[in-house]
Amino acid sequence: MKHAHVGPWSRWLLTSLALGLSSTAAFAEIGQIKVAKGQVSVDRKGQVLPGQVGLLLEAADVLKTGADGSVGVTMRDNTLLSAGPNSILALERFEFDATTSQGRFDSQLRRGTLSVVSGRIAKQSPEAMTLRTPSAVLGVRGTEFVVAVDE
Amino acid sequence: MSSLARRIAVVALAALLAACATKQGSVVLLPERDGKATAVVVTQGGTQVPLGQPYAAANLTSAGPKAYQSSAQEVQTYFAAALAAQPLPPVQFTLYFVEGKDEFTAESKAIIDGVFAEIAKRPVPDVVVIGHTDKVGSDAVNDPLSRQRAEVVRAALLARGIAVDKVVAIGRGKREPIVATAEGVAEARNRRVEIQVR
């Protein structure tokens, strides 16, 4: 059987591939869509992905909901974000060290409605989480609030 | 124009401008579920409005933020859909170990059953296993130790059938003790592993 002869080079390749995949899964994701209703999409690097339950989110993703849509996200630091219909939410920057809880979370609600329950990043350092609207900046000391941006 | 008439005109103009200020949005602080202090600071232009009480609110306008008092009813009217889409909050379980061993106590075995019941409630569950140590030793010792404790629990969850990519193990070292102690104090209640299902 040919494939039984796996040389050291291919073995190295397979090992690094496996390691690479697992570390990518651990570090690229910043959160996950846990709830989705109606029309939900995610803009990522020029592509439009369907915003399905289970989709892993990455920094710079932009979530959009339609007239009948709503979406709920749990971030890696346990921040909960949920947007109502006709909303645009940009997850601009997310950095989180799970050991120290140090991090940075900046997002922008460009349109629509959003409810927020802040998580470990805001709890660790009160300056580390901001939510912007087109005209205002919200410093999040904790914990639960809602924001609307009118059209 | 008399000075009184001028004053009236100025006040009227100011009122008119305030009325004309376009509303751009709003922010409402909600009550805490666990009764802890909470706050959001709204900054628009050069003006800051701190929101610190339940239903303290600010309208965002072209003339800056305007503080007002909102209500549960108003929040329901405008934010019902957003609030209904909120994911289930993470639920936390705590496991303790038989001293000096990688073996759960009898109570901890029952807790693991609870973890699986919570997982079953969620459409796309993921699990974070967080190891902690007491305050004996430095971060350099405790960070890897807490991670090892978490890995033991992660392995136990995997053995009971959770998918590999659904569970991450992390170590918090001695940063988050349950019982506050001085540095160097051995405390069994701080040597624990938390399982968050979210």
Side-chain angles (χ1 to χ4, degrees), chain B residues 46-156:
Chain B
T47 313
Q48 280 202 343
V49 173
L51 308 178
Q53 297 298 319
Y55 301 108
N59 276 323
L60 311 174
T61 79
S62 54
K66 305 289 175 204
Y68 75 103
Q69 185 68 24
S70 183
S71 65
Q73 196 181 359
E74 189 190 57
V75 168
Q76 262 312 306
T77 304
Y78 292 101
F79 296 96
L83 289 165
Q86 212 170 67
L88 286 174
V91 171
Q92 184 164 301
F93 301 84
T94 306
L95 297 180
Y96 297 92
F97 288 81
V98 175
E99 202 176 346
K101 291 186 181 177
D102 285 344
E103 199 179 291
F104 305 137
T105 58
E107 295 84 356
S108 293
K109 281 174 188 153
I111 288 168
I112 293 214
D113 291 339
V115 170
F116 278 84
E118 190 59 43
I119 287 171
K121 287 183 196 167
R122 293 161 190 255
V124 284
D126 72 294
V127 178
V128 187
V129 183
I130 306 171
H132 299 272
T133 66
D134 60 23
K135 290 203 167 185
V136 178
S138 65
D139 287 344
V141 172
N142 283 319
D143 285 357
L145 175 60
S146 62
R147 174 72 189 260
Q148 275 168 32
R149 285 189 174 141
E151 290 289 357
V152 168
V153 173
R154 179 174 184 266

Side-chain angles (χ1 to χ4, degrees), chain A residues 34 78 82 137 139 142-144 148, chain B residues 26 33 38-39 41 82 124 126 198:
Chain A
K34 298 287 191 181
N78 290 348
S82 55
V137 180
T143 310
E144 294 192 46
Chain B
S26 56
R33 281 172 229 202
T38 177
V41 179
V124 284
D126 72 294
R198 59 186 194 182

